[in-house]
Amino acid sequence: LFHWRFIQGYNWRNVRTTFWDFMRHPRIQIPQLFFYSADDRVAQHQLITAHVQYLRSNGVPHVYSKFWKTSRHVQHFRVHRAEYDAEVRVFMRTCIVEWQTQDARRLAARNLTLSHGPIAYSRL
């Protein structure tokens, strides 16, 4: 009952606006991965495609996307397991390399060196 009363009075329009403002103008530059499909009844693939293109054209680094013609909402892994797995592995490698690069830059700026070697991601 408390939960229902809480969400009834919540300004969801403001939440949606804030969410999309954040998505269009991320405050931190991190790799992003989007999975989507043409027959998704919840997420419109045209909007996601436009959003991915917007991010790329505005200099957001490492924006990855995978589009399928057939795959219902949140069913991508179940329907396209091998492709999904391969995309996630590439994405995770990118994240690790990006993290190591940023870590090295921060340390170099403070005249320090890495005390650990690169993270092993051969299992990814």
Side-chain angles (χ1 to χ4, degrees), residues 16-66:
R16 184 174 34 201
T17 301
T18 303
F19 171 78
W20 282 110
D21 283 345
F22 173 78
M23 291 298 288
R24 284 188 204 103
H25 310 287
R27 291 180 181 94
I28 56 174
Q29 301 292 310
I30 58 173
Q32 298 180 42
L33 174 61
F34 297 88
F35 288 120
Y36 61 110
S37 67
D39 66 346
D40 188 331
R41 294 181 182 172
V42 176
Q44 298 175 4
H45 69 92
Q46 300 91 337
L47 294 177
I48 297 171
T49 299
H51 180 66
V52 167
Q53 290 171 348
Y54 174 85
L55 291 174
R56 289 176 178 158
S57 67
N58 284 284
V60 176
H62 310 297
V63 177
Y64 294 85
S65 64
K66 178 62 180 171

Side-chain angles (χ1 to χ4, degrees), residues 63-113:
V63 177
Y64 294 85
S65 64
K66 178 62 180 171
F67 173 78
W68 290 285
K69 289 183 181 179
T70 58
S71 181
R72 299 285 170 125
H73 190 66
V74 300
Q75 296 298 308
H76 312 310
F77 179 71
R78 187 177 65 77
V79 176
H80 306 283
R81 188 174 301 250
E83 290 178 85
Y84 189 101
D85 185 62
E87 292 291 330
V88 168
R89 288 173 189 270
V90 168
F91 179 72
M92 291 301 297
R93 287 183 184 119
T94 301
C95 291
I96 291 168
V97 169
E98 182 66 20
W99 174 79
Q100 289 174 336
T101 302
Q102 289 180 7
D103 197 32
R105 283 188 199 136
R106 282 191 296 273
L107 292 172
R110 298 186 324 195
N111 292 325
L112 300 171
T113 59

